[in-house]
Amino acid sequence: MVIAFEWYGCLLLLTGMAGSISQRTDPLMPPAPEYAHSIRLDGDIILGGLFPVHARGERGAPCGELKKEKGIHRLEAMLFAIDLINKDPDLLPNVTLGARILDTCSRDTYALEQSLTFVQALIERDSTDVRCASGEQPIFAKPDKIVGVIGAAASSVSIMVANILRLFKIPQISYASTAPELSDNTRYDFFSRVVPPDSYQAQAMLDIVTAMGWNYVSTLASEGNYGESGVEAFVQISRETGGVCIAQSLKIPREPRPGEFDKIILRLLETPNARAVVMFANEDDIRRVLDAAKRNNQTGHFLWVGSDSWGSKISPVVQQESVAEGAITILPKRASIEAFDRYFKSRSLSNNRRNVWFAEFWEENFGCKLGMHGKRPGSPKKCTGLEKVGRDSTYEQEGKVQFVMDAVYAMAYALHRMHRDLCSGYPGLCPRMSNIDGKELLGYIRNVSFNGSAKTLVVFNENGDAPGRYDIYQYQITNRSTEYRIIGHWTDQLHLNMKAMQWASGDSSVPASVCSLPCQTGERKKVVKGVLCCWHCERCEGYHYQASEFTCQLCPYEQRPDQNRTGCQPIPIIKLEWHSPWAVAPIFIAILGILATTFVVVTFVRHNDTPIVRASGREMSYVLLTGIFLCYVTTFPMIAAPGLAVCSFRRIFLGLGMCFSYAALLTKTNRIHRIFEQGKRSVAAPRFISPASQLVITFSLISVQLMGVFVWFVADPPHTIVDYGEQRTQDPENARGVLKCDISDLSLICSLGYSILLMVTCTVYAIKTRGVPETFNEAKPIGFTMYTTCIIWLAFIPIFFGTAQSAERMYIQTATLTVSLSLSASVSLGMLYMPKVYIIILHPEQNVPKCKRSFKAIVTAATMTNKLSQLASERPNGEVKTELCEMVFFDSGPSLSTRC
């Protein structure tokens, strides 16, 4: 290995001499190409430089054609930066920077061979076994000690070189390598860069894709560290953040076979919905991909998202502008350095002899030939040497010039601070810096902080990476020209001007690159297994709303989905309104009943001492009429809007009116039954038949109802509730909450149950007293009243409870209950009092006393009448009426006498 290095040293010596000779020859004569492999500038401190001056060679050749921008512009930027530093009295005073610049030929293996030049001074030589071909002792040129290296450009080259330089502790600062792999400080601890790594770039590109609304994309990478690492970072970040799925991830081989790019296009078309293609590829591969898309008539189909290798370069889109239209590219934020433009445009063959490749650039740039040894033997035009860059040829500053200068300045600032610390006040290099420790220099590099050539801050993090700052471009075609237009920037987060974007279709809306179209509002995504960005849309049904993209949730019981089903809203609350048809009919009946009842009461009061009124039992009649009135009045609190007062009145009046009515009727029928049962056994009057006794019995029965209501109030105070289950229809739009009093069906039964019990008991007594002649009592009208009332309430029960599941439950039950109460009251009013009122008003001549009989005579007559009725049942009723004598025992007290 030592012998190999020594032989290489002899070769370097010869080539170095050749390089020096070339600078002293005719400026119009380019140096022999086989010796033009490096540039060497003398200095106190020597920096290495690696630049892709030539493209990768074909058919086994290490180097190919010259790269004017990526090679010469960048190389000259390093030389220009060194000139500025050497002229700056405040930066490395009395210290001159030199350089040893090599050509990598865009190939990692060739660059590795070239970079061995940088480590020669650090390799111990053993020359005892080395002899020249003539047998003489070899003469070794003292190799330059390289303290730091600027470069390389390609990530694959930087990785290869970094593995060698770290062994010899030589710091390296790249101006263009962006592979995320180089951020690994355990493997590439001596590597730094003034450009952000592709992990930032991948994040920025993912943010662009997300901002465009593209969630289904393909990736395309050139084989190698740059392409593969960039795509890997993009895929990894997209998986961590979610929201973007990779349809296909394709790789472009290093040495693509014929038709390879057409196959790539066809494979991309296998997922036609993934129109967006994220590319981490070199510019040659980008150009060939665009050309293949054009050949396959896919202009306008693909939405290209290019990395910084595409950036704002013209070469990838030349003659295929239409297929590249709309492409979004990214480039580290940069600025054109005007001082470099002036410097470069002033370069000529006579003043730039230090650049051994400048003559070749001259021929390439101006399309001419320099003498017999020119690189363009087929060119008919000869170079005069008077051509001028920018005047006789197009010129545009290469994008990485700024970063090359920043890398050189970063090394210079680190050396300056090292010199200040180690050689304080010492002019030139002090002994402590005669042999610079690379590890110590690395520490100074990582701590530099200065405004770079574009006035942007240059700093490094703990991994040697620069902060991420990118400009976002879009390739646009206008009526006049084609251009890369800046549409935004990225510095930790994306800032994008959507209005500045332009697409091939001419439409301002962003084209879609999605596996599935977005679901409409109120629909959830049912993800296809294994592909998060592909889904089916399912509508949230019933009372469910869209809680998230993927879930539907049930609204709270008192709410329903809004119109878009993106949230819940309160269910409308309803109550029985006065103007409702279900309320109008009961109210009308109640009002008529109240008017009729009032008329009867007024009539009875005005004729309070007439025989008919007295015979009806005035006290009990007024109690009964009060109950009838209350039955009619109950309709109004049952229909009124529920509240504390209304609910309280409902509880009180619901059974009270019926209780008043049937308690009075029960007392009456019981009295009649006891009187005639007593008469069969003796002529003595039964007990408790006086009006006062009757009132006591009646109000005792009523007090039971009031006591029950009081207990109900204490156990369960009245309050309102909203019943959302009553009208909870299948269609939430029709759902309603019903505002009602908290009266359950059981409570209703209990409240009415006692009144119904009185009614049934009264009916039983009415049946028992049906044989008493109508001449002497009201038994038969009471009987008919009770029979009719029982029929009404028997019809009420199935109607009321049979509609419990109906959506119209509130209306039907309220109307049924109020109408039943009103009908019961109407039956009692019509059958018991209307005949009496008729006689009082229209036949007052019949409302006069006729005779007087004792209690015994009344009972005997009633008994005989019953027997005659049994023996001659077919006897006409009209003949019985001849014995009509008005009974006044209801009002006569214990004597039970009747007066005429």
Side-chain angles (χ1 to χ4, degrees), residues 120-150:
Q120 288 181 70
L122 301 176
I123 299 175
E124 296 182 1
R125 291 182 174 83
D126 182 7
S127 59
T128 56
D129 296 331
V130 179
R131 294 288 185 273
C132 292
S134 62
E136 298 178 356
Q137 287 285 344
I139 300 173
F140 292 99
K142 184 179 180 181
D144 297 319
K145 185 178 187 304
I146 307 298
V147 300
V149 174
I150 306 300

Side-chain angles (χ1 to χ4, degrees), residues 535-688:
W535 57 77
H536 303 295
C537 296
E538 289 186 350
R539 184 164 180 79
C540 298
E541 298 291 345
Y543 288 84
H544 291 78
Y545 72 99
Q546 183 185 358
S548 66
E549 282 188 304
F550 305 99
T551 59
C552 293
Q553 288 186 2
L554 185 66
C555 285
Y557 191 69
E558 69 279 1
Q559 296 183 353
R560 67 180 182 182
D562 57 23
Q563 188 173 7
N564 295 327
R565 290 187 175 269
T566 55
C568 297
Q569 61 184 6
I571 294 176
I573 298 175
I574 62 170
K575 60 183 184 299
L576 185 58
E577 302 291 346
W578 294 103
H579 55 77
S580 170
W582 294 97
V584 170
I587 291 172
F588 179 73
I589 296 172
I591 291 174
L592 291 179
I594 289 171
L595 294 175
T597 305
T598 304
F599 177 74
V600 171
V601 171
V602 171
T603 301
F604 266 51
V605 170
R606 291 184 60 187
H607 300 84
N608 192 52
D609 293 323
T610 61
I612 293 260
V613 175
R614 295 175 65 191
S616 300
R618 288 174 297 186
E619 294 80 2
M620 298 305 295
S621 291
Y622 292 135
V623 173
L624 179 57
L625 288 170
T626 301
I628 292 172
F629 183 83
L630 290 175
C631 286
Y632 287 125
V633 170
T634 303
T635 298
F636 296 95
M638 294 301 295
I639 294 176
L644 181 60
V646 170
C647 292
S648 300
F649 283 123
R650 284 188 187 182
R651 290 192 180 189
I652 295 171
F653 292 140
L654 186 60
L656 188 61
M658 291 178 62
C659 186
F660 264 81
S661 300
Y662 299 128
L665 287 175
L666 176 59
T667 304
K668 271 191 172 188
T669 54
N670 176 265
R671 182 187 184 212
I672 294 170
H673 175 71
R674 287 189 294 113
I675 288 174
F676 286 100
E677 286 297 317
Q678 180 70 18
K680 293 178 183 180
R681 295 189 292 271
S682 68
V683 294
R687 294 184 299 169
F688 309 120

Side-chain angles (χ1 to χ4, degrees), residues 175-191:
Y175 50 83
S177 297
T178 58
E181 182 180 351
L182 289 165
S183 297
D184 186 353
N185 204 36
T186 60
R187 296 177 57 192
Y188 307 103
D189 45 345
F190 281 81
F191 178 84

Side-chain angles (χ1 to χ4, degrees), residues 218-222 231 248-252 263-265 267-268:
S218 296
T219 62
L220 188 58
S222 292
V231 166
Q248 295 189 77
S249 192
L250 305 181
K251 188 186 299 183
I252 303 172
K263 293 179 182 178
I264 289 173
I265 295 299
R267 286 197 60 187
L268 291 174

